[in-house]
Amino acid sequence: MYDVKSMKAEEFISDEEIRETLAYADANKDNMELVDAIIEKAKERKGLTHREASVLLACENEDRIQEIYELAQQIKKDFYGNRIVMFAPLYLSNYCVNGCVYCPYHLKNKHIARKKLTQEEIVKEVTALQDMGHKRLAIEAGEDPVNNPIEYILECIKTIYSIKHKNGAIRRVNVNIAATTVENYRKLKEAGIGTYILFQETYHKAGYEELHPTGPKHDYAYHTEAMDRAMEGGIDDVGLGVLFGLDKYRYEFAGLLMHAEHLEAVHGVGPHTISVPRLKKADDIDPTTFDNGISDDIFAKICALIRISVPYTGMIISTRESQAVREKVLPLGVSQISGASKTSVGGYADPDAEKNAEATSEQFDVSDQRTLDEVVNWLMKLGYIPSFCTACYREGRTGDRFMTLCKNMQILNCCHPNALMTLKEYLEDYASEETRKIGMELIERELEKIPNPKVKQTTYEHIHDIAEGKRDFRF
Ligand code: SAM
């Protein structure tokens, strides 16, 4: 039976509730009175329930879809401004004992090159990432209690934070590792991680079990209840996501919002981020053998609906998506993107290492292959501020404290100046001449938009100090 506050996966992600939701959405998708009422409710910027959002997802009326896009753009502007936060994934190890049928790291893949970074190799990887200008990483690893135990992950985090190369520093490490225990989540929290990210892959239990036939990840309940354990362990920034392409997107969308509603109902704070990865070609994985791929238009619609359904939750797009798709969905509500990503183990320090090798360690093909400078340049030309900010969690603004900032629309007095100061650091230390020129002009223009005169003055001073060589200012 459906119970948003239950701690049991099958009750807060009730299959029956999702099926009824989809039937309700089908029955009402042409009910324009209801559709309009839901859009009106979304305009209040307090979000939508999974049922309401599912009706909009089912609705095919072009005018209404356009209205949803416009609203998503407006909500994004109001809550997030024009900042886009930058990050990069760092693959630590692709040893894995699971049998995920869509992931080339699955245990039975004897063809893939298995690699695990030593601490010395991590220093090289992180130095290369710092030299590009990255300040925020998402660490990734397969699940393997022997090769990648929690102690290994903790040691890697410690190493990453300790590396100070030139003006570089990794100031926030987000973690994307398999579901684990409350005790381990506590250790991750103590290690100073930012967000704990875990993709649900699919909310459809039967499908989930087929897609994860072997290994610890087979346990649907353990995986689905991971965020509750993470929160119990003290991590209050958690990131959800489904891997679109595995199961029916409407089912996944309802499940995703139900998961967000559950976290809010039980812990008083919803997910910090939602990722929207789509299945990609990889070593022994052919995405066309899966039946549920979604078009770019449906993908964009999902992004816009996430934006209006959970206005305070950040949305992440990785380099699984091409430049063109990223351009299409950025205005609809995306707040974070990765740049210059490598999905191989050790790919940053030695990008050509696997070029002529027989086997690769890559997790999936990257569609957006541009350098970070090119991505930063492109974002600015589109009118965005690429932000390398990591201030919130370093100032203790996690969980509901961050949400309060967002809900009170204080972004322009806080995140906006932080974005400008970190962009200035990037321009000083890493940018090409052309990118620097565009960036300096952008900063001049954007400084004028800071509403609070005191904050504006302080930001002016810090921007000046950064040009003089000082670093790491934040509000
Ligand atoms: N191993 C960890 C786990 O099981 O949650 C997380 C790390 S894994 C490196 C990160 C994510 O990559 C997975 O959660 C999955 O959604 C995604 N992924 C796996 N295979 C993929 C593929 N072929 N295309 C796109 N994304 C994929």
Side-chain angles (χ1 to χ4, degrees), residues 91 93 95-96 98 100-105 139-143 176-179 196-201 208 212 217 223 241-244 246 277-283 285-287 290 318 320 363-365:
Y91 282 75
S93 165
Y95 284 92
C96 194
N98 285 314
C100 317
V101 303
Y102 51 84
C103 178
Y105 291 172
I139 57 172
E140 313 274 341
E143 179 167 15
N176 184 2
I177 60 166
Y196 171 66
I197 300 163
L198 180 69
F199 299 158
Q200 177 62 31
E201 320 301 6
Y208 181 96
H212 306 94
K217 196 164 168 177
H223 188 81
V242 290
L243 186 53
F244 285 101
L246 297 181
R278 282 197 286 185
L279 191 61
K280 292 278 306 178
K281 190 186 162 335
D283 188 59
I285 308 297
D286 175 4
F290 293 77
S318 74
R320 290 177 184 85
Q363 198 196 13
F364 53 81
D365 287 359

Side-chain angles (χ1 to χ4, degrees), residues 338-393:
S338 46
S341 302
K342 301 280 181 215
T343 68
S344 53
V345 182
Y348 293 107
D350 194 355
D352 294 331
E354 295 183 356
K355 221 174 193 170
N356 299 316
E358 221 169 84
T360 152
S361 67
E362 265 178 4
Q363 198 196 13
F364 53 81
D365 287 359
V366 166
S367 295
D368 185 341
Q369 308 246 10
R370 292 171 296 166
T371 64
L372 187 59
D373 189 74
E374 286 166 339
V375 174
V376 167
N377 189 306
W378 161 77
L379 282 174
M380 294 192 299
K381 282 183 182 155
L382 291 174
Y384 297 104
I385 309 170
S387 171
F388 293 86
C389 178
T390 53
C392 268
Y393 104 105

Side-chain angles (χ1 to χ4, degrees), residues 108-286:
K108 282 196 189 139
N109 188 353
K110 301 291 176 215
H111 174 261
I112 199 160
R114 296 285 171 185
K115 293 187 186 167
K116 170 186 167 180
L117 297 178
T118 62
Q119 300 310 304
E120 290 71 35
E121 286 167 334
I122 288 180
V123 174
K124 285 190 192 148
E125 286 291 275
V126 172
T127 305
L129 283 156
Q130 288 185 5
D131 276 342
M132 287 182 215
H134 278 296
K135 298 279 186 276
R136 175 190 290 245
L137 301 183
I139 57 172
E140 313 274 341
E143 179 167 15
D144 186 328
V146 174
N147 286 299
N148 323 326
I150 193 72
E151 290 72 24
Y152 170 70
I153 305 290
L154 296 169
E155 195 186 358
C156 294
I157 295 170
K158 210 167 159 195
T159 302
I160 294 167
Y161 278 134
S162 74
I163 303 163
K164 302 281 178 293
H165 167 68
K166 297 186 183 162
N167 279 336
I170 298 303
R171 299 173 180 157
R172 178 174 179 134
V173 177
N174 296 334
V175 174
N176 184 2
I177 60 166
T180 185
T181 59
V182 174
E183 197 192 328
N184 286 347
Y185 286 125
R186 203 162 279 133
K187 289 179 185 166
L188 288 169
K189 172 75 185 172
E190 281 161 12
I193 71 159
T195 313
Y196 171 66
I197 300 163
L198 180 69
F199 299 158
Q200 177 62 31
E201 320 301 6
T202 172
Y203 283 97
H204 186 250
K205 183 170 183 263
Y208 181 96
E209 287 169 350
E210 272 176 35
L211 290 159
H212 306 94
T214 54
K217 196 164 168 177
H218 177 72
D219 188 337
Y220 175 83
Y222 190 74
H223 188 81
T224 311
E225 292 159 11
M227 294 314 190
D228 294 302
R229 291 194 301 281
M231 287 200 163
E232 200 186 327
I235 299 175
D236 49 8
D237 280 352
V238 299
L240 304 180
V242 290
L243 186 53
F244 285 101
L246 297 181
D247 215 302
K248 303 268 184 290
Y249 71 89
R250 290 177 55 205
Y251 192 102
E252 305 295 18
F253 179 73
L256 189 60
L257 291 185
M258 283 163 74
H259 201 170
E261 287 162 15
H262 164 74
L263 295 177
E264 176 96 46
V266 174
H267 306 281
V269 49
H272 187 64
T273 55
I274 289 181
S275 299
V276 283
R278 282 197 286 185
L279 191 61
K280 292 278 306 178
K281 190 186 162 335
D283 188 59
D284 67 343
I285 308 297
D286 175 4

